[in-house]
Amino acid sequence: MSKKFGVLLISLLLVGIFSTLALGAKVTVTQWNFPLLANEMEVLWKPLIEKFEAQNPDIEIKVEILPWGGRAEKLLTAVAAKRPPDVAYLNEFFLQMFAARGALIPLEKYLSREALARYPESLIDAVTYNGHVYLAPALVSTVGYLYNLRVLKKVGWDVNKLPETWDDLLKLCKMVKEYSKKTGEKIWTIGYPASMEDTLNMTLYPLIWQAGGDVLTPDLKKAAFNSWAGIKALTFVKLLFDEGYAPKDLIQAGLSTNYFLNDEIAMWFGADAWGVSQLLAEDPNLADYAKFGPILKENKKITYGTMGAWAIFRGSRNPKAAAKWVEFLISPENNTFYNKTIGYMSPLKGAPPLYADNPFLGVLETQKVFTRGGLIVKDERRVMDVIKEAQQAVIVGQKTVIEALNDAEKEVNFILEGF
């Protein structure tokens, strides 16, 4: 064998070896999630990952579960450092925050038309920014009103006729207050979380919508809450605390499950699937004495509905593999498994009811027709913080309703103008 032939043979062998290694190499898709279950990795992600990797042996999925607190800041920091995850869970109100910064990849670039066609048009509209679809909805939920029937029976309210309007609710408030005054029992009507850590999506925003108003103008460029509807909503909240219908502790602290489980409140204001799961974890017999009532109405019957979705970040080293993973997650079979496991509802078009036999989620599932999403603006968290401060100033008596709304309107408009 000549020396030249030997070198050529070795070269061909090396090429073959490295080609084999390349073919066998895996790409990694990293996903950032935020906890929805105590044992989420084991019961949710492990089965999904094993199933996907069996179908796609060239792709490795790495799911990281991060705390909810400061999630926007963590993602923004990762984007700024050009080290974002490939995929992350985002709520709809983060859409503009990241899309306007060029941090997300348009999904129509990598996801099939068939995958995107699984969603109703209204949801596609909700996740579209500047003509591009940036989020693939994973779940939807309803924020409702959970009543403690033990408390209602105690004060003499007909548990078969739960409040439907603000006036009905105020009648219940008066009954509970009279009962508490007469018996000396520590009891309130409404668990209304009003701390700076609590989201207004569950509380004040639905009240503004129910009163016939909105938080921002339709073009999302100016504040709209400084209106008759905003005055009615904030006055209603002030009344809850002024009259002792809601515990004053909730101005500074979050609404713990103890209030409901210990029969200290008649109604959890703004309860969703996650809240119910927390209550059930502490009392599996919750259905014996708890029930969701109707979505409240003043001028309109409306409430907030969460939307959680998957986004692929610009800067992903493997966007095609990330898109394969996302498309796998939103298939009808896998999306049903995902939502049944975490206790939320499917956003897919024509999805069958998942919770017909569930006394809590079954009600929320039927009520999702009354939901709308949150604010989709770049500085949504800053806008909300301003309105939270206004709410707190009114509750503690630092400002009148008119003063608080006037001041908040100026500040929110300043933020929306980009200064």
Side-chain angles (χ1 to χ4, degrees), residues 253-274:
L255 178 59
S256 77
T257 55
N258 290 337
Y259 281 101
F260 197 92
L261 297 174
N262 295 339
D263 297 345
E264 293 178 349
I265 56 172
M267 186 253 262
W268 186 308
F269 195 100
D272 63 357
W274 186 85

Side-chain angles (χ1 to χ4, degrees), residues 144 146 188-199 202-203 241 245-261 264-272 274-275 278-279 282:
L146 188 68
W188 297 271
T189 305
I190 299 175
Y192 183 98
S195 76
M196 286 298 293
E197 285 70 44
D198 289 300
T199 174
M202 314 282 274
T203 53
F241 289 94
Y245 299 153
K248 289 194 182 295
D249 289 351
L250 300 186
I251 302 170
Q252 300 299 331
L255 178 59
S256 77
T257 55
N258 290 337
Y259 281 101
F260 197 92
L261 297 174
E264 293 178 349
I265 56 172
M267 186 253 262
W268 186 308
F269 195 100
D272 63 357
W274 186 85
Q278 302 305 299
L279 291 168
E282 296 184 56

Side-chain angles (χ1 to χ4, degrees), residues 287-304:
D288 292 344
Y289 61 91
K291 182 180 179 182
F292 274 105
I295 299 303
L296 291 174
K297 177 183 178 182
E298 177 64 4
N299 289 350
K300 292 177 69 176
K301 190 171 186 175
I302 188 169
T303 187
Y304 173 70

